[in-house]
């Protein structure tokens, strides 16, 4: 059963990656543009962050896992021309949206964020 599950998840991820990649063809990144990816340390969030990084976007990565900082360093080593910022936090907290805003806009002074 475990092998079947892994095979199904592999197929789902490949289909998702292929379709999303098609949708991003016309989007042109700029050095000042950042994409926010939540759940970025694992699963689909990790796949999405890799997809956007591969397209040349800088990223703001958010996840509850402490593994996020290691993953952020891996991306920075792989994609030298982009910037990657990480924010380890629990998005289920009521204060999370304000914390994200304050960090991105006030502390990091990022202007173009999607």
């Amino acid at each position: 059963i475990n092998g079947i599950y892994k095979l199904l998840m592999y197929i789902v991820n490949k289909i998702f990656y292929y379709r999303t990649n098609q949708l991003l063809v016309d989007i042109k990144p700029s050095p000042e543009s950042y994409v926010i990816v939540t759940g970025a340390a694992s699963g689909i969030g990790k796949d999405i962050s890799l997809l956007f990084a591969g397209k040349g976007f800088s990223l703001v990565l958010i996840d509850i896992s402490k593994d996020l900082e290691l993953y952020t360093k891996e991306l920075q080593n792989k994609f030298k021309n982009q910037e990657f910022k990480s924010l380890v936090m629990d998005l289920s907290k009521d204060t999370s949206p304000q914390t994200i805003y304050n960090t991105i806009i006030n502390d990091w002074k990022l202007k173009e964020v999607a």
Side-chain angles (χ1 to χ4, degrees):
I1 297 238
N2 192 21
I4 294 171
Y5 173 77
K6 285 183 179 180
L7 177 62
L8 286 174
M9 289 310 297
Y10 175 79
I11 292 169
V12 167
N13 280 336
K14 288 299 177 186
I15 291 170
F16 173 80
Y17 183 84
Y18 174 76
R19 183 67 184 126
T20 305
N21 203 24
Q22 286 181 321
L23 295 172
L24 293 174
V25 168
D26 295 331
I27 299 174
K28 304 294 181 224
S30 73
E32 303 85 31
S33 297
Y34 285 80
V35 174
I36 297 173
V37 181
T38 60
S42 64
I44 292 175
K46 190 172 187 175
D47 290 342
I48 290 172
S49 65
L50 190 57
L51 178 74
F52 276 106
K55 291 288 183 183
F57 287 92
S58 293
L59 303 176
V60 173
L61 306 168
I62 303 172
D63 201 294
I64 194 171
S65 173
K66 302 258 189 264
D67 294 339
L68 181 64
E69 293 169 0
L70 178 62
Y71 180 59
T72 303
K73 288 178 185 172
E74 288 175 16
L75 286 175
Q76 194 67 64
N77 289 333
K78 185 173 183 176
F79 301 99
K80 304 281 186 196
N81 296 326
Q82 292 126 267
E83 198 169 331
F84 300 93
K85 297 188 174 286
S86 63
L87 188 56
V88 176
M89 67 179 324
D90 183 354
L91 292 177
S92 68
K93 305 284 185 196
D94 290 340
T95 58
S96 295
Q98 189 62 46
T99 302
I100 292 170
Y101 178 86
N102 287 337
T103 302
I104 292 173
I105 303 301
N106 298 331
D107 298 343
W108 294 342
K109 309 278 191 239
L110 303 182
K111 296 191 181 359
E112 291 184 38
V113 182

